[in-house]
Amino acid sequence: MGVVEERYPFKEIESKWQNKWKCTKDYKVATDQGKPKYYCLEMFPYPSGALHMGHLRVYTIGDVIARFKRRLGYNVLHPMGWDAFGLPAENAAIEHGTHPAEWTKNNIAKMKSQLTRLGTSYDWDREVTSCLPDYYRWTQWLFLHFYHQGLAYRAKAPVNWCPQCATVLANEQVEGGACWRCDTPVVSKELEQWFFKITAYADRLLEDLEDLGWPERVKVMQENWIGRSEGVEVDFPVKGREDKIRIFTTRADTLYGVTYMVLAPEHPLVEELVRGTRYEKDVMDFVARVARMNTADRVAGEGKKEGLFTGAYAVNPLNGEEVPIWVGDYVVMEYGTGAIMAVPAHDQRDFEFARQYGLPIRVVIQPEGWELVAEEMTEAVTDPGVMVNSGPFTGLPSQEGIKKVAAYLEERGIGRKKVNYRLRDWLISRQRYWGAPIPIVYCDGCGIVPVPEEELPVMLPEKVKFRASGPSPLARHQEFVNTSCPKCGKPARRETDTMDTFMCSSWYYLRYTSPWTSRRPWEEEDVNYWMPVDQYIGGIEHAILHLLYSRFFVKVLYDSGLVQAKEPFANLLTQGMVIKEGAKMSKSKGNIVSPDEILEKYGADTARLFILFAAPPEKDLDWNERGVEGCARFLNRVWRLVRRLEDKVPPLGANGASGRGDADGDDAALERSLHQTIKKVTEDVSERFNFNTAISAIMELVNETYSYLEKREESQWNLGLLRETLEGITLVLAPFAPHIGEELWHRLGHKDSVHLCPWPGFDPEKVKAREVTVVVQVNGRVRDRMLVAAETSERDLREMALERERVKKHLSGKKVVKVITVPQKLVNIVAR
RNA sequence: GCCGGGAUGUCGGAACUGGUAGACGAUAUGGACUUAAAAUCCAUUGGGCCUUUGGCCCGUGCGGGUUCGAGUCCCGCUCCCGGCACCA
């Protein structure tokens, strides 16, 4: 029985088929209007050096989907490339002296070979690398396109600066006041930078979320990030001055409850109000102190509020009342108008501030069911209620009041409806070398001049010197900086900032559709055939960043007629993390599992199978070596099963096709299992991406096939049925374990690749069981089981159930009140 | 605080629109094969109770409810994970 104990030689098999697939280019695709397309895409990696387990997981999931859809007859675009600009390359250059281009190139080579070893089915002819001039040329082209659309502008503004990365960051790249990449607290700096006007698309970015096949939580995260808020802006005149303080509020119904105003420390009016007054020194000291705090400190001081009276008063435009104007750190300049009306009775922050500084509290909304008394309140009451002390609005329900007061303000020209967003424009300048140069020239005479399209790309100079601190290599590179103005020809200076690498990744999926074109960023026919991406797969960490920027890009391109898709990614799958012993893999914890070691020890098929089997794709996956061994065991079982029978089972169509009507029904049972398995795998993969249950179904079929062989003498085996079964197993296993699938398929006598073979269908008739186990319950408790013909009628079921001895025992002394029957499932007898 | 998601054996996880809770895999235990080990194969593997073949009871985070029947639906909580947050 030597063969039976054999383990499958994965090393030979895997390299054999990987070479074959490479030569035959089985996964190369072309635009084909006559075929339904399917664009399957995984987020392209940053070439950091080597794949980690997280990469292994995404690329395995994507590969299974691509292989599966191909087999279903789709023209599948499944490309791969490299998000190759970025800081680590530059930092490596500073530390080790390797040029970023060299470092990146080596990493790409390494990671590409790892992806090949994993058995992925990419069309490598479409590989894109964002740091190469033939790619970043178009990134620059897109910058100019945005510029010409009025969507790129240069502005001086307070921006987030990461001292560690020595560059500015977009708002999306600051997490809790710290740099998303290195976790260093960011500081605020006033700089002139390039911005993309993403806020102009806020509403569409919000509205179009609805139709996306994305996880709810990702949609909600984007919703929160955009932070749409409807309200009114109201002007409060300043007593004794021409100035007005404009505020934004969502609670116009509480306008009669205003007892003071607060300006943000950065508000331009602050200085003017206090100038020359006895309040000036204290207020300006306070303003300076707040300005010195970095973002992290200000976030950390959450809840603690500080403020000062400015000595000035504002007039409530509704009731003419004079209220003191304060300056306070709990009001931020970036949101709304940088000034608020304070209604301590109905806003928790105002309430805390008022209590702290002894400012008056006035109730103007009485919630239903209890009587609010300002002096007795311990917190603000924000619930809706009835308006009180509100002049002509008294007695109105507050929710109605919001609208009525707004209308009243608008009529009198003292206020207007306004929608505010939390979303800020996207700051795309970076003070670093390893990125796409911003194609702009500054001329003393002409000002900001875009580099003409035909002069693209603005090449990143290769010979530069890296230093640990100071200006970026680009800013110090005189030949790069000094140029002539494209407009007037006089000496001019180039922009030395490069673009945020999120620019590069905002359009790479468009480039994949026609990466060879050198005349345009993409060919219209190709981009419109393939887009949108049907299934996008990647980590949740890009829920806002990459996914929001890409959506913005496509909307802009749609508006200019460059693409027909309104959204880049129709469906999104966010895969969970790979963890070990309940913790994220990290160097400090020493729980890192290396993909190379896994591929070496167990092979790609086993690694893939475990990744897919251990958890559904959205959930975290706990890496467990014993589980990996279980998957290796399973593949060996399949291997031995085919090896044992490959010379015995006749080709399909020849004599010995599966005979039915065998006396004991084992043949029918095995055949049924086969069809049920195909059905289950098909549904689990196509409808829900539940690879784990699909694989367990295949395991069950393999177990049953072994049982079948065990049960009978070899002479009694139905060899035709066994061939059908073995082929079925191979066909459905192939997307998950492509190498062994291909090998077994060929061992079974086939000449073509299993991966190009149509997905097997199932016969709905053969899925149905002839006999089923029906459960008999008495008062909802299972008391017996009956094996009956599947088509047994409800009446028969009921009668049979009532006749069962065990049932009678439980019915003794009771009266049958009701009998519920569910054909093929159960009978429930209700007795009292 | 607001929003989203979750809690099922020893572990990873199954259970379609309410209908046999624990599929599949791992672990553990026992057995077969072997000089022995590995590998392989077979059996058992939620808890408790009863004298057995067998049977009974409990059990899907907690407390209620709806229903013939609830892991699944409803109400009220607890805890965990994630996002946002002086956002006016």
Side-chain angles (χ1 to χ4, degrees):
Chain A
M1 291 284 267
V3 168
V4 174
E5 292 180 16
E6 188 181 319
R7 317 185 76 174
Y8 87 101
F10 64 83
K11 277 188 189 166
E12 284 163 46
I13 290 175
E14 292 182 359
S15 64
K16 170 175 148 193
W17 292 112
Q18 281 161 17
N19 288 332
K20 177 82 193 314
W21 298 332
K22 197 175 168 185
C23 294
T24 51
K25 295 210 172 180
D26 282 355
Y27 309 116
K28 189 174 164 63
V29 280
T31 295
D32 180 352
Q33 302 292 348
K35 246 177 128 183
K37 66 95 183 182
Y38 190 88
Y39 190 172
C40 175
L41 183 67
E42 303 105 57
M43 291 179 186
F44 68 165
Y46 177 77
S48 55
L51 295 182
H52 52 67
M53 294 313 282
H55 286 126
L56 230 53
R57 192 172 188 198
V58 210
Y59 299 128
T60 298
I61 292 168
D63 193 60
V64 172
I65 295 172
R67 288 183 183 278
F68 183 76
K69 291 288 175 181
R70 245 180 240 125
R71 304 263 310 271
L72 288 176
Y74 288 96
N75 195 25
V76 174
L77 175 55
H78 189 221
M80 180 46 69
W82 312 97
D83 188 9
F85 270 137
L87 261 182
E90 201 170 336
N91 291 339
I94 294 165
E95 276 171 46
H96 308 113
T98 327
H99 194 279
E102 189 63 22
W103 186 83
T104 303
K105 200 177 114 191
N106 293 339
N107 290 347
I108 289 175
K110 159 82 181 160
M111 289 166 79
K112 189 170 175 179
S113 85
Q114 287 180 300
L115 284 174
T116 304
R117 274 190 82 183
L118 186 62
T120 49
S121 60
Y122 296 115
D123 177 356
W124 281 110
D125 288 355
R126 291 172 184 263
E127 182 176 1
V128 302
T129 305
S130 67
C131 67
L132 297 180
D134 72 345
Y135 184 92
Y136 71 68
R137 169 186 181 176
W138 299 112
T139 307
Q140 293 173 338
W141 185 90
L142 286 162
F143 173 91
L144 293 177
H145 181 75
F146 276 64
Y147 179 79
H148 294 309
Q149 302 291 313
L151 293 168
Y153 65 95
R154 196 168 157 79
K156 190 166 186 180
V159 295
N160 305 301
W161 173 267
C162 173
Q164 175 70 38
C165 298
T167 183
V168 295
L169 299 168
N171 269 345
E172 290 78 16
Q173 293 155 26
V174 179
E175 294 170 349
C179 172
W180 71 298
R181 194 178 269 294
C182 66
D183 217 30
T184 307
V186 302
V187 293
S188 185
K189 267 197 180 185
E190 187 89 359
L191 289 172
E192 194 169 333
Q193 300 281 296
W194 283 97
F195 290 87
F196 270 18
K197 223 184 252 179
I198 191 170
T199 52
Y201 283 76
D203 268 328
R204 280 163 68 191
L205 288 168
L206 192 64
E207 283 162 19
D208 293 351
L209 278 173
E210 202 179 325
D211 301 323
L212 293 178
W214 287 21
E216 193 56 32
R217 60 175 180 149
V218 177
K219 292 198 207 181
V220 169
M221 280 161 77
Q222 292 214 349
E223 258 172 55
N224 288 345
W225 189 260
I226 295 167
R228 185 190 150 98
S229 158
E230 281 183 32
V232 283
E233 282 187 349
V234 188
D235 290 333
F236 280 62
V238 180
K239 186 190 171 193
R241 297 177 64 104
E242 289 291 293
D243 302 297
K244 284 180 175 171
I245 296 174
R246 178 166 292 183
I247 59 96
F248 173 76
T249 181
T250 54
R251 291 294 304 271
D253 58 323
T254 62
L255 220 68
Y256 285 84
V258 174
T259 56
Y260 64 101
M261 310 285 289
V262 189
L263 301 178
E266 300 87 353
H267 198 287
L269 205 55
V270 173
E271 203 180 338
E272 294 191 31
L273 291 181
V274 298
R275 189 177 299 140
T277 70
R278 63 186 173 93
Y279 299 96
E280 181 171 9
K281 188 176 182 307
D282 287 349
V283 168
M284 293 320 287
D285 282 353
F286 171 70
V287 167
R289 187 152 50 82
V290 174
R292 273 199 306 274
M293 287 205 285
N294 65 30
T295 317
D297 288 346
R298 219 165 146 177
V299 169
E302 177 186 322
K304 276 189 200 156
K305 298 172 183 53
E306 228 187 310
L308 284 173
F309 179 44
T310 62
Y313 289 84
V315 181
N316 186 326
L318 278 193
N319 58 10
E321 199 174 350
E322 291 175 11
V323 290
I325 302 169
W326 284 61
V327 53
D329 62 358
Y330 78 102
V331 176
V332 296
M333 196 58 217
E334 295 83 49
Y335 186 77
T337 59
I340 62 155
M341 64 177 205
V343 187
H346 305 294
D347 182 286
Q348 184 58 23
R349 295 152 303 180
D350 297 342
F351 182 87
E352 287 166 20
F353 193 80
R355 276 284 154 89
Q356 193 177 332
Y357 291 103
L359 290 156
I361 295 169
R362 184 190 301 157
V363 173
V364 290
I365 307 291
Q366 278 296 351
E368 214 165 315
W370 90 93
E371 184 78 3
L372 272 188
V373 179
E375 293 70 35
E376 292 165 9
M377 290 173 76
T378 54
E379 59 181 6
V381 174
T382 55
D383 306 358
V386 175
M387 294 174 70
V388 296
N389 298 322
S390 298
F393 300 97
T394 299
L396 264 187
S398 61
Q399 270 148 343
E400 210 176 302
I402 292 177
K403 291 175 206 153
K404 288 265 167 74
V405 173
Y408 182 87
L409 293 167
E410 280 200 322
E411 270 167 38
R412 279 157 211 249
I414 40 179
R416 61 216 61 78
K417 288 196 187 112
K418 175 82 203 272
V419 177
N420 258 327
Y421 300 92
R422 219 186 66 93
L423 181 71
R424 296 290 129 71
D425 277 340
W426 176 15
L427 167 49
I428 58 119
S429 307
R430 295 293 178 272
Q431 290 70 46
R432 300 298 302 224
Y433 163 74
W434 194 234
I438 294 174
I440 288 288
V441 168
Y442 301 104
C443 168
D444 287 340
C446 310
I448 295 174
V449 183
V451 174
E453 215 178 284
E454 52 286 0
E455 285 177 28
L456 296 183
V458 174
M459 293 288 288
L460 193 61
E462 270 200 38
K463 287 195 178 142
V464 292
K465 292 205 177 81
F466 297 97
R467 279 194 216 144
S469 59
S472 93
L474 219 47
R476 295 190 317 249
H477 195 278
Q478 290 310 308
E479 290 128 78
F480 178 81
V481 174
N482 297 315
T483 183
S484 54
C485 172
K487 247 189 196 168
C488 68
K490 287 184 192 152
R493 297 172 59 81
R494 278 194 195 282
E495 166 68 66
T496 58
D497 282 351
T498 52
M499 289 182 242
D500 182 1
T501 52
F502 281 101
M503 281 276 298
C504 311
S505 55
S506 289
W507 71 281
Y508 77 108
Y509 46 89
L510 301 171
R511 183 69 183 171
Y512 279 142
T513 65
S514 39
W516 36 76
T517 186
S518 57
R519 300 176 302 147
R520 326 187 157 95
W522 49 79
E523 292 297 333
E524 205 182 329
E525 189 202 345
D526 296 311
V527 85
N528 290 330
Y529 172 74
W530 290 111
M531 285 297 290
V533 172
D534 293 277
Q535 185 62 55
Y536 200 34
I537 308 142
I540 187 84
E541 66 274 15
H542 287 111
I544 310 284
L545 297 156
H546 163 59
L547 291 169
L548 189 67
Y549 297 146
S550 296
R551 295 184 61 222
F552 167 49
F553 256 62
V554 165
K555 294 201 179 299
V556 171
L557 296 169
Y558 171 85
D559 284 351
S560 13
L562 289 166
V563 299
Q564 283 171 14
K566 288 187 181 172
E567 284 283 339
F569 316 120
N571 296 291
L572 174 70
L573 175 67
T574 49
Q575 95 279 2
M577 282 190 304
V578 180
I579 57 177
K580 183 93 191 286
E581 281 120 32
K584 190 175 174 174
M585 287 189 187
S586 71
K587 274 183 207 151
S588 58
K589 289 201 187 74
N591 61 349
I592 290 186
V593 178
S594 138
D596 282 339
E597 281 170 31
I598 294 297
L599 293 179
E600 181 65 24
K601 191 168 170 192
Y602 297 99
D605 286 337
T606 294
R608 290 170 61 118
L609 202 70
F610 175 72
I611 283 168
L612 298 164
F613 178 67
E618 307 83 10
K619 278 190 125 185
D620 285 352
L621 183 157
D622 204 339
W623 193 268
N624 172 358
E625 191 102 358
R626 308 308 288 259
V628 180
E629 279 165 14
C631 288
R633 236 187 319 266
F634 167 69
L635 289 180
N636 280 316
R637 255 165 87 75
V638 178
W639 173 260
R640 287 191 300 267
L641 185 64
V642 175
R643 293 280 281 141
R644 189 167 159 192
L645 296 168
E646 62 188 23
D647 295 330
K648 299 193 171 91
V649 291
L652 274 188
N655 52 349
S658 47
R660 329 291 160 192
D662 54 324
D664 50 13
D666 286 345
D667 283 3
L670 183 59
E671 188 181 41
R672 190 182 319 121
S673 295
L674 171 62
H675 286 263
Q676 281 172 342
T677 300
I678 294 171
K679 179 171 190 276
K680 175 134 181 79
V681 174
T682 308
E683 290 169 356
D684 283 358
V685 175
S686 59
E687 288 163 25
R688 325 188 285 167
F689 296 142
N690 277 6
F691 310 114
N692 55 335
T693 51
I695 291 166
S696 74
I698 304 174
M699 288 172 167
E700 283 180 83
L701 178 60
V702 170
N703 291 345
E704 286 197 45
T705 311
Y706 268 101
S707 305
Y708 176 91
L709 299 181
E710 198 73 20
K711 254 193 231 173
R712 301 184 170 193
E713 291 296 319
E714 189 169 333
S715 61
Q716 298 300 304
W717 290 348
N718 183 334
L719 295 172
L721 174 60
L722 283 169
R723 164 164 284 274
E724 264 185 69
T725 307
L726 295 186
E727 294 208 343
I729 290 169
T730 308
L731 285 166
V732 297
L733 181 64
F736 308 109
H739 309 89
I740 196 173
E742 189 81 304
E743 177 69 18
L744 295 177
W745 188 242
H746 283 75
R747 288 196 163 274
L748 287 167
H750 296 276
K751 296 281 176 274
D752 295 334
S753 172
V754 69
H755 304 294
L756 303 177
C757 203
W759 186 254
F762 56 88
D763 183 342
E765 283 307 310
K766 288 179 180 165
V767 168
K768 288 182 193 160
R770 263 186 269 170
E771 287 186 312
V772 292
T773 302
V774 168
V775 167
V776 185
Q777 298 180 328
V778 176
N779 291 333
R781 288 171 180 280
V782 179
R783 297 304 181 187
D784 201 1
R785 282 152 226 259
M786 321 186 283
L787 190 64
V788 302
E791 64 275 13
T792 309
S793 72
E794 288 195 43
R795 183 198 283 178
D796 289 350
L797 280 176
R798 176 194 164 112
E799 273 171 24
M800 288 163 74
L802 287 166
E803 286 309 306
R804 307 287 286 192
E805 282 307 316
R806 289 185 190 166
V807 173
K808 282 183 180 167
K809 203 170 99 190
H810 286 278
L811 288 178
S812 69
K814 288 177 180 157
K815 196 178 152 214
V816 174
V817 182
K818 197 175 175 185
V819 180
I820 287 118
T821 53
V822 181
Q824 304 200 28
K825 282 266 157 69
L826 61 69
V827 178
N828 188 10
I829 300 161
V830 187
R832 244 179 246 131

